[in-house]
Amino acid sequence: MGGRSMYYIIPLSGDPDIGRKLAPLIGGKIVNIYTKEHPDGEQYIRLGDSVSGKRVLIVQSMFPEQDRKYIELLLAIDAAIRAGASRVDVLVSYLAYARQDKVFLDGEPISVGAVLKGIRAVGAERLYVVEPHSEVASKIYGEDFIEIDGISPLARAFTGEKNIAIFSPDLGGVERAQRLQSVMDSISGVYYIEKIRDRYTGEVVSVIREDIDLKGKTVLIVDDIISTGGTIANASRLVRGRGASKVYVACAHPLFIGDSINRIRGAGVDRIVCGRTVRRTVDGVEYIELHDHIARRVLESI
């Protein structure tokens, strides 16, 4: 890097301190910013340092107050471009509005598409996203979309654990569970909870295959987002009912809405391990810092 900063880094209000921890790892320099809120609630941003001719990386997490964090990001991108930055890239540790990536009913938007197109339209080039919930986000944004694995780094919390069965709450999350398996030892298998429709009542029920033996085993439930905790609580009750001796949970994005943490604990979960992708923290949760992992991915892509 020849002593020069690779990136001028602008950490925004949602950033869970990833930007400042990332700076020394990638040869970056932190840019000071001034923000305020107008009486009507609108946001104001001004860069406190020159970025003219520099490559800028803006760091944001879009939770809580998703709408506010998104607008702040757009304003920061525009400010950096108007200040003469040679290039503006963005790192989003939690991407909001990624749940809806297809139209289910007439009249609906594709929310992740609208959000990503806005980031691109205002002038951002490369977009790094930690564990995006949407499978089509990269197709929408294009080749400058860089996905960062937010699941594998959680394995360090389970070093020394033996005889673990990894579970995904559904078939769609099996790939995440397999990523975690690939960097862990002593895994007895990777499974998922099946959804079956009762042919008499039409009700969809969650089940575990009869041939899966969980007696005396530690089960690790893996998901990308914990919101209300209902999915995790349901999965925990199912594996406990099949004889699991311990139940752990690992997730990339710990939102923990309302009474979710008590709902999860009440369902028999012993440990909760999450990536540090949002600013808000909850007591009783183990948080894994991701800045070193993110730094490697950023350096690989440059």
Side-chain angles (χ1 to χ4, degrees), residues 51-294:
V51 296
S52 180
K54 306 300 182 182
R55 184 171 184 163
V56 167
L57 179 66
I58 300 174
V59 184
Q60 179 70 301
S61 178
M62 298 184 191
F63 180 85
E65 299 182 301
Q66 293 91 320
D67 298 358
R68 186 173 185 80
K69 298 299 192 300
Y70 180 61
I71 293 298
E72 182 186 40
L73 174 59
L74 298 185
L75 294 176
I77 295 169
D78 188 71
I81 291 172
R82 292 180 185 280
S86 63
R87 174 188 177 112
V88 177
D89 296 338
V90 172
L91 166 63
V92 176
S93 58
Y94 173 69
L95 178 66
Y97 289 99
R99 285 187 178 87
Q100 182 145 11
D101 57 10
K102 64 182 69 173
V103 172
F104 297 95
L105 300 172
D106 289 345
E108 290 182 340
I110 297 179
S111 59
V112 69
V115 167
L116 294 175
K117 288 175 183 177
I119 293 171
R120 174 69 96 179
V122 79
E125 295 191 41
R126 183 164 293 162
L127 175 60
Y128 302 94
V129 179
V130 177
E131 203 63 36
H133 185 71
S134 169
E135 295 180 357
V136 303
S138 60
K139 295 178 182 178
I140 293 171
Y141 195 83
E143 62 182 11
D144 285 326
F145 186 94
I146 306 293
E147 180 174 342
I148 298 177
D149 178 8
I151 295 295
S152 297
L154 306 181
R156 71 184 76 165
F158 305 103
T159 302
E161 293 282 352
K162 305 294 183 183
N163 199 27
I164 293 180
I166 299 181
F167 262 83
S168 167
D170 52 44
L171 177 60
V174 168
E175 185 273 335
R176 281 189 293 271
Q178 290 173 334
R179 266 189 278 142
L180 196 57
Q181 177 198 30
S182 70
V183 293
M184 292 180 65
D185 298 322
S186 300
I187 302 301
S188 63
V190 173
Y191 311 100
Y192 67 94
I193 295 172
E194 299 184 46
K195 304 292 193 297
I196 297 177
R197 186 176 298 277
D198 188 296
R199 60 180 175 176
Y200 298 108
T201 67
E203 180 184 2
V204 176
V205 295
S206 300
V207 298
I208 297 173
R209 287 199 334 258
E210 290 296 329
D211 62 320
I212 298 175
D213 181 15
L214 299 179
K215 290 180 180 178
K217 291 183 179 179
T218 297
V219 170
L220 174 56
I221 302 168
V222 181
D223 209 352
D224 59 341
I225 301 172
I226 296 179
S227 181
T228 64
T231 298
I232 296 297
N234 180 57
S236 179
R237 284 190 289 267
L238 284 171
V239 299
R240 282 288 191 185
R242 293 290 293 273
S245 60
K246 296 179 183 177
V247 179
Y248 300 158
V249 170
C251 90
H253 304 300
L255 307 188
F256 294 120
I257 306 301
D259 198 38
S260 56
I261 195 72
N262 291 327
R263 181 177 295 113
I264 292 168
R265 291 293 190 194
V269 172
D270 299 291
R271 287 181 71 191
I272 305 171
V273 176
C274 301
R276 186 84 162 87
T277 60
V278 300
R279 287 190 68 88
R280 192 169 74 185
T281 59
V282 175
D283 290 341
V285 175
E286 302 170 46
Y287 291 93
I288 301 297
E289 299 286 350
L290 302 179
H291 55 277
D292 52 348
H293 177 72
I294 292 171

